[in-house]
């Protein structure tokens, strides 16, 4: 249970004397001591209270005074009084004055049998003081006297708030009261600020109750220890730990440099700059050897002052540093360079850089440290720390701490640098492998976007639009597992394989089967050690503008979203298929009819999964944006589709910080008008080829293709004759008049593919396909569900070409 003790505030005689010598304050203790009331002495010269003075004596000189004076009592007698005087300079709240204190009577050293005399160890080198039950000083040793700057006999009987020798006196007295009241020990840590002549100090005051033989608390003993060094060691460990946690949270060089600056200010320095060697000056890598003058680029800086007014260079700016600058000296020697302005260490540098010299004088910078940034045998740059608000210079411990923090940050900076270099390489490779622009086709207009991952690194997302025979077009989007250069290289191999397989006019499910075999084979060739492709997803679609039908198949890829004119967006229900690389599992194709003007969206999962793990919210946003897609009046279709692409990314990735790569392909379908297509059923009789040829000529005349008629009739005659001779019924001929070309297609029920051969001199046949190859721009064959189709394309003269539609 706590106990109460009497605390008489008037026990100490207290007076305040203004700098002009008049009394400003006079408490009850002073009245008890000399008998004069406050009304009798306030506003009058304090010297009149001296027994041996005429009332005009000067005030003490210096900051404090202590001693014994003979004072005049109100009844006329002389009273010798032990006094302590402390000058309080003028500040914003009051004018300068002197605080004069007289300890209360009865505060002589305690008797030998008094328990206060047995507080112990007053001769100890540890600073010890004993306070009585009124919290007035009873005894203190020489070590405590050195701390307070006052001998025991001058301050005995005063409270700790009255002596003024210890830091944070109010907090200390509050703690003394607590120990006196509860009888429990208490430790209090106090700090003194740095001065021009020294550094800040930390003290640990250990308080314990002093009890008598009956166990009653009679006072408090205080032992004070200087724990500055251990406190600084603890701060250094805390700062190193903070650097380990706070620096390197990302793989961005600039952000890492800012984090390093944030850790150092204000704990270690008042102003910090981080300047890095510019890799662009040395082919993308830091130089192997630093030679003066040294070009450096400012990565970050930080100050205790708002706006970093001490800075001369701005972040991102580049400057050249001469050999005698601290930055260059640290980089050339590979060691920390410590410099003090007062010692003249920076005179040459500040004279060379007049602007820096002005900043040093303006803000009072007095000490700097230049610490080189080394990691894995590579020099990356330099950290410069400066002090101006803190008056203490950098110590050897500060140098070690700065080097430790910089060394930890250097590894993070090097990791970020290496990551950025690899990411730039992978991104360059990725963009070189992706189509620079999508080819114009009669089947659809298309636009695309690719956004690399903000944090995980460039991945293997890709897209493509591939023109096929018969005005058909293939659309493909895929995603290779992983990130980095390997994923980009794998993407390039798969994209090339898709284009090669597309040239064979394979059905979507067949193409994915071949692609799956390729991924498995490539992984096996890599030895299965993770160095090769381990999997991918893909969606492959083929759209025919003549039939307006689209055939699709997917291998573990998100299904496309379609927006038909006048209808809400919907997700196509397609067989999911397994990701590429599992091997041996079949893929299924699905076919849908798409009205002209349908918008189809193909994308990788990074677009919708960036919103949440399941992607449901992302898909919902995608539906909303596509649902609002309209063609703006007077705007070309391609431009409207391009704007829709941007709106999709703005809605789903408002900050552009995708967690994974994003590939988006938007296409609007077209349909060939019926008057651009002509078809005939060919009877199984070579003698009837001539009538078919005549009908073709008539059709070409209706299309105004008179210049191309002869070549076209000859190609049709050869293809139809071959189909009748070597194919199976039914045989069908189709002509497609596209913008700039004429396409001839002959289909039959045979699955045997034709091939070119060189006819001998006396052979009667074997020259038909060779002739077709010579007369046409290109030709080929494709397998269909009913058999095969042989096709050939003829480029039309400029005056016979159809005008291109918008978006082509």
């Amino acid at each position: 249970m706590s106990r109460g003790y009497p605390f008489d505030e008037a026990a100490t005689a207290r007076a305040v004397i203004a700098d002009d010598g008049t009394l400003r304050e006079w408490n009850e203790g002073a009245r008890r001591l000399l008998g004069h009331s406050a009304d009798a002495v306030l506003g009058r010269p304090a010297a009149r209270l001296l027994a041996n003075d005429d009332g005009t004596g000067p005030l003490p000189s210096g900051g404090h005074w202590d001693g014994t004076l003979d004072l005049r009592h109100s009844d006329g007698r002389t009273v010798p009084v032990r006094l302590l005087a402390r000058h309080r300079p003028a500040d914003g709240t009051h004018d300068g004055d002197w605080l004069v204190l007289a300890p209360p009577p009865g505060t002589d050293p305690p008797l030998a049998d008094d328990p206060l005399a047995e507080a112990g160890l007053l001769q100890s080198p540890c600073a010890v003081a004993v306070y009585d039950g009124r919290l007035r000083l009873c005894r203190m040793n020489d070590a405590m006297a050195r701390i307070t700057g006052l001998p025991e006999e001058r301050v005995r009987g005063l409270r700790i708030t009255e002596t003024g020798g210890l830091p944070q006196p109010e907090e200390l007295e509050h703690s003394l009261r607590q120990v006196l009241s509860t009888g429990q020990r208490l430790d209090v840590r106090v700090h003194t600020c740095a001065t021009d002549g020294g550094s800040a100090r930390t003290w640990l005051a250990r308080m314990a109750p002093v009890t008598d033989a009956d166990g009653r608390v009679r006072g408090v003993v205080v032992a004070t220890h200087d724990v500055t060094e251990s406190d600084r060691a603890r701060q250094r460990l805390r700062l190193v730990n903070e650097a380990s946690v706070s620096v390197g949270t990302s793989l961005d060089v600039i952000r890492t440099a800012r984090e390093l600056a944030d850790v150092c200010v204000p704990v270690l320095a008042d102003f910090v700059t981080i300047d890095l060697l510019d890799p662009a000056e040395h082919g993308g890598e830091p130089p192997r050897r630093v030679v003066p003058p040294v070009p450096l680029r400012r990565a970050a800086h930080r100050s205790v002052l708002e706006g970093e007014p001490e800075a001369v260079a701005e972040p991102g700016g580049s400057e050249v540093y001469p050999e005698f600058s601290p930055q260059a000296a640290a980089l050339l020697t590979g060691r920390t360079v410590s410099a003090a302005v007062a010692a003249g260490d920076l005179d040459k540098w500040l004279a060379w850089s007049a602007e820096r010299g002005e900043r040093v004088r303006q803000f009072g910078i007095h000490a700097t440290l230049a610490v080189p940034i080394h990691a894995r045998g590579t020099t990356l740059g330099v950290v410069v720390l400066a002090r101006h608000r803190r008056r203490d210079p950098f110590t050897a411990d500060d140098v070690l701490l700065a080097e430790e923090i910089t060394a930890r940050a250097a590894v993070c900076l090097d990791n970020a640098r290496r990551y950025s270099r690899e990411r730039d390489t992978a991104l360059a490779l990725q963009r070189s492998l992706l189509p620079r622009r999508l080819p114009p086709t009669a089947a659809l207009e298309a636009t695309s976007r690719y956004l690399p991952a903000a944090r995980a690194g460039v991945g293997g997302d890709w897209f493509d639009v591939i023109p096929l025979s018969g005005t058909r077009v293939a659309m493909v989007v895929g995603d290779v597992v992983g990130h980095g250069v390997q994923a980009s290289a794998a993407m390039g191999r798969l994209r090339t394989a898709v284009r090669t397989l597309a040239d064979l006019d394979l059905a979507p499910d067949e193409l994915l089967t071949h692609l799956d075999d390729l991924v498995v084979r490539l992984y096996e060739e890599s030895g299965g050690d993770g160095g090769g492709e381990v999997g991918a997803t893909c969606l492959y679609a083929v759209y025919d503008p003549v039939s307006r039908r689209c055939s699709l198949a997917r291998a573990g890829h998100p299904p496309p979203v379609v927006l038909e004119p006048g209808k809400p967006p919907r997700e196509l229900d397609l067989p999911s298929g397994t990701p590429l690389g599992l091997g041996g599992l079949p893929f299924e194709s699905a076919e849908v009819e798409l009205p002209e003007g349908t918008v189809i969206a193909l994308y990788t999962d990074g677009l919708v999964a960036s919103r949440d793990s399941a992607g449901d919210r992302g898909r919902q946003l995608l539906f909303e944006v596509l649902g609002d897609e309209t063609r703006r009046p007077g705007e070309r279709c391609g431009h409207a589709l391009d704007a829709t692409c941007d709106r999709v990314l703005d809605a789903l990735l408002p900050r552009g910080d995708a967690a994974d790569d994003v590939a988006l392909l938007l296409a609007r379908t077209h349909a060939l008008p019926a008057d651009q297509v002509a078809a005939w059923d060919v009877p199984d009789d070579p003698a009837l080829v001539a009538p078919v040829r005549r009908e073709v000529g008539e059709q070409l005349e209706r299309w105004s293709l008179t210049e191309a008629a002869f070549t076209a009739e000859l190609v049709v005659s050869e293809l139809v004759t071959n189909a009748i001779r070597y194919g199976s019924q039914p045989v069908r001929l189709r002509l497609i008049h596209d913008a700039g070309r004429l396409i001839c297609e002959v289909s039959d029920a045979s699955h045997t593919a034709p091939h070119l051969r060189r006819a001998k001199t006396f052979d009667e046949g074997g020259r038909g396909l060779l002739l077709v190859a010579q007369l046409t721009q290109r030709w080929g064959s494709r397998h269909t569900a009913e058999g095969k189709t042989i096709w050939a394309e003829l480029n039309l003269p400029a005056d016979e070409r159809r005008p291109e539609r918008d978006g082509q």
Side-chain angles (χ1 to χ4, degrees):
M1 180 180 296
S2 64
R3 302 179 55 189
Y5 289 84
F7 294 98
D8 186 0
E9 296 291 339
T12 301
R14 174 190 176 100
V16 176
I17 304 175
D19 280 344
D20 61 2
T22 60
L23 281 165
R24 179 180 295 174
E25 294 182 20
W26 186 262
N27 76 339
E28 177 62 18
R31 188 197 65 77
R32 294 176 185 175
L33 179 65
L34 298 179
H36 300 285
S37 66
D39 294 338
V41 296
L42 289 180
R44 300 182 181 183
R48 292 183 179 180
L49 296 176
L50 297 174
N52 303 316
D53 197 278
D54 58 2
T56 61
L59 289 170
S61 59
H64 69 274
W65 180 90
D66 63 270
T68 301
L69 290 178
D70 293 332
L71 301 182
R72 183 181 297 116
H73 196 275
S74 62
D75 59 9
R77 59 189 172 89
T78 299
V79 180
V81 180
R82 180 162 48 92
L83 296 177
L84 173 67
R86 177 159 47 93
H87 186 252
R88 300 186 298 186
D91 55 25
T93 58
H94 62 79
D95 297 331
D97 55 29
W98 283 82
L99 174 64
V100 182
L101 303 169
T107 56
D108 291 329
L111 299 176
D113 59 350
D114 193 318
L116 295 178
E118 300 174 0
L121 298 181
L122 293 182
Q123 300 296 320
S124 168
C126 175
V128 178
V130 181
Y131 292 85
D132 63 16
R134 298 174 299 167
L135 296 186
R136 295 186 175 277
L137 182 66
C138 181
R139 293 294 303 273
M140 72 177 183
N141 65 357
D142 291 342
M144 181 65 80
R146 285 192 294 271
I147 294 178
T148 61
L150 295 167
E152 176 191 340
E153 60 270 16
R154 301 303 184 189
V155 294
R156 187 184 306 117
L158 296 179
R159 289 161 50 189
I160 198 169
T161 54
E162 298 170 340
T163 59
L166 293 174
Q168 300 169 229
E170 290 80 8
E171 181 180 347
L172 288 173
E173 182 165 282
H174 175 77
S175 300
L176 289 172
R177 283 178 184 266
Q178 187 175 344
V179 173
L180 193 65
S181 174
T182 64
Q184 302 294 322
R185 295 173 179 266
L186 187 64
D187 290 346
V188 180
R189 192 176 294 267
V190 294
H191 306 273
T192 58
C193 299
T195 62
D196 289 338
S199 60
R201 311 297 297 177
T202 302
W203 304 87
L204 177 63
R206 315 201 73 167
M207 304 177 183
V210 179
T211 59
D212 59 15
D214 297 327
R216 293 178 300 175
V217 177
R218 297 288 304 276
V220 182
V221 59
V222 181
T224 304
H225 308 272
D226 187 347
V227 294
T228 304
E229 294 306 318
S230 62
D231 191 65
R232 288 177 178 173
R234 188 163 43 250
Q235 288 182 353
R236 287 192 289 268
L237 288 175
R238 188 184 309 118
L239 189 59
V240 171
N241 181 66
E242 182 181 350
S244 301
V245 174
S246 303
V247 180
T249 60
S250 72
L251 288 172
D252 180 81
V253 173
I254 301 302
R255 182 173 174 180
T256 303
R258 289 172 181 165
E259 291 168 347
L260 172 58
D262 291 341
V263 166
C264 293
V265 175
V267 179
L268 190 56
D270 300 319
F271 177 57
V272 173
T273 63
I274 293 97
D275 296 290
L276 302 179
L277 293 163
D278 196 347
E281 299 284 337
H282 307 279
E285 282 289 323
R288 294 183 178 274
R289 180 172 175 268
V290 180
V291 293
V294 183
L296 294 172
R297 188 173 297 278
R298 177 64 50 86
H301 54 223
R302 178 73 187 276
S303 171
V304 294
L305 305 178
E306 185 176 357
E308 290 81 27
E310 308 99 320
V312 173
E314 292 299 323
S318 181
E319 260 193 288
V320 176
Y321 293 83
E323 184 177 4
F324 47 79
S325 65
Q327 291 88 340
L331 292 174
L332 293 172
T333 62
R335 296 189 297 271
T336 299
V337 174
S338 179
V341 174
D345 300 335
L346 299 176
D347 289 352
K348 188 175 182 180
W349 165 232
L350 298 181
W352 185 86
S353 178
E355 188 174 4
R356 280 185 172 80
E358 176 60 29
R359 301 291 171 90
V360 167
R361 288 186 291 273
Q362 178 182 354
F363 296 101
I365 295 174
H366 61 87
T368 65
L369 279 182
V371 186
I373 305 174
H374 297 298
R376 301 183 179 100
T378 302
T379 301
L380 303 178
V382 62
V383 179
V384 177
L385 304 96
R387 286 181 178 176
H388 52 76
R389 178 177 289 181
R390 290 181 57 170
R391 303 313 305 164
D392 51 317
F394 288 107
T395 65
D397 288 338
D398 292 331
V399 173
L400 292 176
L401 179 59
E403 290 176 343
E404 174 68 18
I405 294 174
T406 302
R408 291 173 180 263
V411 176
C412 299
L413 285 168
D414 191 50
N415 289 340
R417 177 189 67 84
R418 291 170 183 267
Y419 167 78
S420 298
R421 183 187 61 184
E422 180 176 343
R423 186 175 187 274
D424 291 343
T425 303
L427 186 57
L429 176 61
Q430 177 90 331
R431 295 198 182 281
S432 69
L433 295 174
L434 290 174
R436 294 179 180 271
R437 68 182 189 89
L438 301 179
T441 66
L444 50 81
E445 56 179 293
T447 188
S448 62
R449 294 291 187 275
Y450 170 75
L451 188 67
R455 294 176 294 276
V458 178
D461 291 17
W462 91 93
F463 58 86
D464 212 345
V465 173
I466 308 170
L468 303 177
S469 62
T471 68
R472 296 170 309 124
V473 65
M475 296 171 285
V476 60
V477 62
D479 183 1
V480 173
V481 173
H483 295 87
V485 175
Q486 288 185 344
S488 296
M491 177 274 291
R493 301 175 80 170
L494 292 185
R495 178 173 177 252
T496 302
V498 169
R499 278 190 159 266
T500 302
L501 294 171
D503 282 344
L504 300 177
D505 270 318
L506 298 177
D509 57 336
E510 283 189 74
L511 184 140
L512 291 182
T513 300
H514 286 288
L515 202 60
D516 181 50
D517 293 338
L518 173 65
V519 173
V520 172
R521 187 164 60 253
L522 291 176
Y523 180 62
E524 290 174 350
E525 290 175 357
S526 70
D529 59 355
E533 298 81 357
V534 296
T537 64
C538 186
L539 171 65
Y540 186 77
V542 176
Y543 173 69
D544 186 350
V546 177
S547 64
R548 301 191 303 277
R549 300 193 68 81
C550 185
S551 179
L552 311 95
R554 64 188 180 118
H557 202 83
V561 176
V562 296
L563 175 63
E564 298 180 8
K567 294 182 179 180
R570 64 186 177 92
E571 197 171 71
L572 287 182
D573 186 14
L574 301 178
S576 61
T578 59
L580 301 173
L582 297 182
L585 299 176
F587 299 96
E588 297 181 55
S589 291
E591 192 171 75
V592 295
E593 185 171 344
L594 300 178
E596 183 174 14
T598 296
V599 174
I600 181 169
L602 290 77
Y603 59 90
T604 55
D605 57 3
L607 179 68
V608 295
S610 295
R611 277 284 177 171
D612 54 76
S613 57
D616 294 335
R617 178 55 180 160
R619 279 191 289 270
Q620 182 182 349
L621 283 174
L622 178 61
F623 290 168
E624 291 175 3
V625 176
L626 291 178
D628 295 337
E629 196 275 330
T630 56
R631 185 177 302 176
R632 299 178 183 179
E635 189 174 43
R636 294 185 62 188
C637 299
H639 292 174
L641 205 59
D642 215 48
T644 302
C645 225
D646 290 334
R647 289 196 294 272
V648 168
L649 291 182
D650 289 342
L652 276 75
L653 302 169
R655 296 182 300 275
D657 55 348
D660 195 4
D661 280 30
V662 172
L664 174 63
L665 178 64
L666 290 185
R668 180 181 284 112
T669 63
H670 296 315
L672 282 183
D675 62 358
Q676 289 184 232
V677 182
W680 297 267
D681 290 323
V682 179
D684 188 16
D685 186 354
L688 298 178
V689 172
V692 173
R693 183 171 176 172
R694 282 196 302 272
E695 291 181 25
V696 169
E698 293 170 359
Q699 180 63 51
L700 295 177
E701 187 175 353
R702 285 192 292 271
W703 282 342
S704 301
L705 301 181
T706 55
E707 291 188 33
F710 175 78
T711 303
E713 290 177 18
L714 185 56
V715 170
V716 166
S717 178
E718 291 294 335
L719 293 180
V720 169
T721 300
N722 275 352
I724 294 173
R725 287 182 177 177
Y726 306 111
S728 303
Q729 285 291 329
V731 177
R732 186 171 178 80
L733 167 66
R734 184 171 72 168
L735 296 182
I736 301 173
H737 183 196
D738 187 16
R741 58 181 176 167
L742 177 67
I743 301 170
C744 306
E745 295 183 343
V746 177
S747 304
D748 67 82
S750 172
H751 291 278
T752 303
H755 62 278
L756 283 176
R757 69 182 180 89
R758 181 176 296 277
K760 297 179 181 179
T761 305
F762 300 104
D763 286 349
E764 295 183 1
R767 298 178 178 84
L769 288 181
L770 182 61
L771 181 63
V772 170
Q774 294 295 321
L775 295 176
T776 60
Q777 184 69 20
R778 64 190 189 116
W779 75 280
S781 66
R782 65 176 181 269
H783 289 280
T784 65
E786 297 80 15
K788 68 175 181 297
T789 297
I790 312 299
W791 55 269
E793 292 182 4
L794 290 81
N795 282 348
L796 300 176
D799 57 347
E800 293 186 351
R801 297 185 177 187
R802 281 182 175 271
E804 293 184 354
R805 69 170 72 207
D806 288 346
Q808 284 186 235

